[in-house]
């Protein structure tokens, strides 16, 4: 699917159906569109497939008639069931008169297009893509932090594995995010070194340096959150195990309290007890039996409690 955009007053605006803008976005390109990009635009087939590969690392390549830039950005977020924050790739092919962008899904790329940003040239639009990806990483990291705090508050009383599974999913997502932000950081440094070759002006170079600083913050935050989750995982597993041990202790106490009562009722039985108390009015006999069982159970509870206190 092809969408075209244009630059107007420092903003990225969508073009009409009749216009072919300077910015061409291909979302989930068809085979015909891939053939057009390879044969007509001169994009290398391997580079094109790398732009659609979520496992591809960020890099920049200089071709004859264009510059190919592959960057990382956050992908789809799955909240229902098992939480997962995924990373995808995006390819930007910078020509002299246009910018072609490839992405795997129809995700917004210019959500800040309503706001005037630095970089009002085609090269500046490339920086806007990097700025959008970095800003999106920061937003997702804040969400991951809030989810981590929520899981931490729930896991203390959890007896199932759902909270632990969600925690491990967040750790896995942070690993991918850390790798993606680090890869984008190397790309930003490469773009800064090749600023003259790409054609960035002074304002765009300042914009690139600001993006680099924000990306460094993303990389550090991802490392910090991953370290916190990894460091607390063993403690949280111990909390869950301790909760299960407490529940098992209570069940064992209940079982011990009722064990002598079950022995008495099993050996005697209803018929034998009725025969032994044949000369006593049955309401009195069964009331006395119930009272005796209650007293025996309470005494057993006190003994178990005293044994536990002496061990402590």
């Amino acid at each position: 699917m092809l969408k075209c955009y244009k630059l107007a007053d420092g903003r990225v605006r969508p073009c009409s159906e009749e216009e072919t803008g300077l910015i061409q976005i291909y979302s989930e390109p068809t085979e015909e569109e891939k053939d057009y990009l390879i044969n007509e635009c001169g994009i290398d087939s391997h580079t094109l497939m790398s732009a659609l590969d979520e496992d591809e690392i960020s890099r920049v390549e200089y071709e004859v008639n264009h510059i190919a830039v592959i960057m990382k950005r956050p992908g789809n977020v799955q909240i229902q069931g098992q939480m997962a924050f995924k990373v995808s790739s995006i390819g930007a092919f910078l020509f002299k008169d246009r910018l072609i962008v490839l992405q795997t899904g129809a995700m917004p790329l210019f959500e800040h297009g309503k706001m005037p940003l630095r970089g009002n040239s085609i090269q500046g639009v490339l920086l806007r893509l990097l700025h959008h990806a970095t800003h999106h990483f920061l937003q997702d990291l804040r969400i991951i932090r809030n989810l981590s705090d929520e899981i931490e508050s729930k896991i203390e009383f959890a007896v199932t594995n759902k909270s632990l599974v969600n925690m491990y999913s967040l750790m896995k997502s942070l690993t991918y995010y850390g790798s993606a932000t680090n890869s984008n950081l190397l790309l930003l440094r490469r773009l800064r070194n090749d600023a003259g070759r790409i054609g960035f002006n002074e304002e765009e170079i300042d914009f690139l340096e600001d993006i680099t600083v924000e990306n460094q913050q993303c990389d550090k935050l991802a490392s910090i959150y991953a370290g916190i989750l990894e460091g607390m995982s063993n403690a949280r597993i111990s909390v869950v195990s301790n909760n299960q041990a407490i529940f098992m202790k209570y069940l064992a106490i209940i079982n011990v309290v009722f064990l002598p009562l079950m022995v008495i009722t099993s050996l005697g039985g209803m018929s034998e007890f009725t025969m032994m108390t044949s000369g006593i009015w049955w309401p009195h006999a069964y009331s006395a039996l119930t009272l005796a069982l209650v007293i025996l159970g309470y005494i057993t509870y006190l003994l178990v409690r005293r044994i536990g206190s002496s061990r402590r």
Side-chain angles (χ1 to χ4, degrees):
M1 181 177 63
L2 172 63
K3 287 187 178 181
C4 296
Y5 296 86
K6 62 183 178 181
L7 282 173
D9 300 329
R11 295 173 173 85
V12 178
R13 302 182 184 275
C15 297
S16 60
E17 296 182 357
E18 295 79 11
E19 294 181 294
T20 301
L22 299 177
I23 309 168
Q24 301 173 7
I25 310 296
Y26 288 88
S27 302
E28 297 181 357
T30 62
E31 294 299 327
E32 295 180 356
E33 292 173 340
K34 291 180 181 179
D35 292 338
Y36 168 76
L37 294 173
I38 294 173
N39 299 324
E40 300 296 331
C41 300
I43 298 177
D44 183 71
S45 59
H46 178 266
T47 307
L48 188 145
M49 298 306 298
S50 298
L52 303 176
D53 185 5
E54 62 181 11
D55 296 327
E56 193 68 26
I57 61 174
S58 301
R59 66 177 188 271
V60 56
E61 296 181 356
Y62 297 94
E63 303 293 343
V64 177
N65 61 341
H66 66 275
I67 301 174
V69 178
I70 298 177
M71 64 189 75
K72 308 299 291 186
R73 67 161 187 188
N76 296 324
V77 179
Q78 179 182 351
I79 300 297
Q80 300 296 331
Q82 182 177 347
M83 292 180 294
F85 291 79
K86 298 182 179 180
V87 177
S88 61
S89 300
I90 179 174
F93 301 91
L94 181 63
F95 293 81
K96 292 183 179 180
D97 56 347
R98 57 180 168 169
L99 176 67
I100 297 178
V101 180
L102 298 180
Q103 59 176 350
T104 55
M107 296 183 64
L109 295 177
F110 302 107
E111 63 181 16
H112 306 292
K114 297 181 180 180
M115 301 174 58
L117 295 176
R118 289 172 292 177
N120 297 323
S121 62
I122 300 178
Q123 292 83 356
V125 175
L126 175 63
L127 297 180
R128 294 190 182 199
L129 292 175
L130 289 166
H131 176 266
H132 174 269
T134 304
H135 187 76
H136 198 173
F137 275 122
L138 283 174
Q139 290 180 337
D140 283 359
L141 286 174
R142 294 189 185 100
I143 296 174
I144 291 175
R145 182 192 61 188
N146 295 333
L147 290 175
S148 175
D149 294 339
E150 183 179 354
I151 292 175
E152 185 176 358
S153 62
K154 289 181 178 180
I155 203 170
E156 182 179 357
F157 306 99
V159 294
T160 62
N161 295 328
K162 182 177 180 181
S163 298
L164 289 175
V165 170
N166 289 334
M167 184 187 65
Y168 289 138
S169 297
L170 290 182
M171 292 176 61
K172 182 179 179 180
S173 300
L174 285 172
T175 302
Y176 288 141
Y177 271 34
S179 176
T181 53
N182 185 268
S183 182
N184 281 350
L185 181 60
L186 297 178
L187 172 64
L188 290 168
R189 291 173 178 173
R190 176 71 183 278
L191 294 177
R192 178 62 182 87
N193 295 332
D194 298 344
R197 184 176 182 181
I198 298 174
F200 293 136
N201 54 37
E202 294 183 0
E203 184 181 13
E204 291 168 349
I205 291 175
D206 293 337
F207 189 25
L208 177 60
E209 292 177 351
D210 293 341
I211 298 173
T212 304
V213 173
E214 292 182 359
N215 193 88
Q216 288 177 343
Q217 294 177 352
C218 289
D219 189 35
K220 291 181 180 179
L221 286 176
S223 300
I224 291 172
Y225 294 159
I228 292 174
L229 285 176
E230 184 178 1
M232 294 297 295
S233 60
N234 294 331
R236 291 170 180 175
I237 293 174
S238 300
V239 169
V240 174
S241 300
N242 185 59
N243 291 338
Q244 292 179 347
I246 292 173
F247 285 125
M248 294 301 296
K249 182 184 70 173
Y250 290 151
L251 291 176
I253 292 175
I254 294 173
N255 189 29
V256 171
V257 169
F258 281 94
L259 182 61
L261 308 181
M262 294 173 60
V263 172
I264 294 174
T265 55
S266 299
L267 292 177
M270 300 298 294
S271 58
E272 287 77 2
F273 181 76
T274 303
M275 181 184 64
M276 289 185 296
T277 58
S278 58
I280 305 174
W281 189 37
W282 70 267
H284 292 170
Y286 280 95
S287 298
L289 176 62
T290 302
L291 180 60
L293 293 177
V294 170
I295 294 174
L296 180 60
Y298 182 68
I299 293 173
T300 306
Y301 169 73
L302 292 179
L303 292 175
V304 173
R305 183 177 179 183
R306 184 176 180 180
I307 293 173
S309 300
S310 63
R311 288 184 177 181
R312 287 195 297 268

